[in-house]
Amino acid sequence: FRGQRKFFQAFRAEMMQPCPAWDFFAEWMRRVAHTGDNCFQAINHKYMNGNEVGCPALFHFSQGELGMPWDMEVTRKDDIVMFTWNDERDCPHARGSDRLMVGLLYDEHRDRPVLIDPHASRANGAASIVLDSRYGSRAHVYLFFERADKRACSDDQHFAV
């Protein structure tokens, strides 16, 4: 933790004094994020086009305190999408029992979000889902982890497949 504080001090001197973005974000979150709906709208409204996602690469299914694996990989073969990662951390922000969740948007149906539980934990290191080709050939997957008791999530990571 001491090393992180030292890094932040250098970051603050270099970045935050001329551009205090993180201070503004903290103030903004206290002001707009009173409910889950408020937070979702505050984060995602600029990526929406009416009732559909306009910019899938920047849209978020999840934001949270848990960590994502650093080496998440996604591959696709026909309609099967495979996810692999290595994450042996056992700390408050990354437990082996955290469950992988998959947000899904088909490119041709950006107004129909889908949440999939592939029944894989962080400790498994792999999971897969099957896409439904009736909804198009291109999709956007948003991978994130959720605590087993559903009391915390990670930020999502977007992949176009």
Side-chain angles (χ1 to χ4, degrees), residues 95-120:
R95 292 190 181 133
S97 60
D98 296 341
R99 302 173 337 136
L100 177 70
M101 301 300 289
V102 180
L104 176 65
L105 281 176
Y106 287 95
D107 211 32
E108 297 171 19
H109 298 278
R110 293 185 189 178
D111 61 339
R112 298 181 191 161
V114 177
L115 183 63
I116 300 170
D117 180 356
H119 303 289

Side-chain angles (χ1 to χ4, degrees), residues 2 10-11 18 23-24 28 30 39 41 48 51 67 76-77 95 98 100 106 120 123 131 134 141 160-161:
R2 184 179 300 159
F11 183 84
D23 292 337
F24 291 142
W28 179 73
R30 284 191 301 268
C39 191
Q41 297 296 337
M48 301 296 293
N51 70 335
R76 179 176 177 176
K77 183 171 181 179
R95 292 190 181 133
D98 296 341
L100 177 70
Y106 287 95
L131 298 176
R134 294 178 296 173
V141 294
V161 294

Side-chain angles (χ1 to χ4, degrees), residues 81-92:
V81 182
M82 294 147 293
F83 315 112
T84 57
W85 63 91
N86 258 323
D87 198 348
E88 297 177 4
R89 294 177 290 171
D90 187 22
C91 61

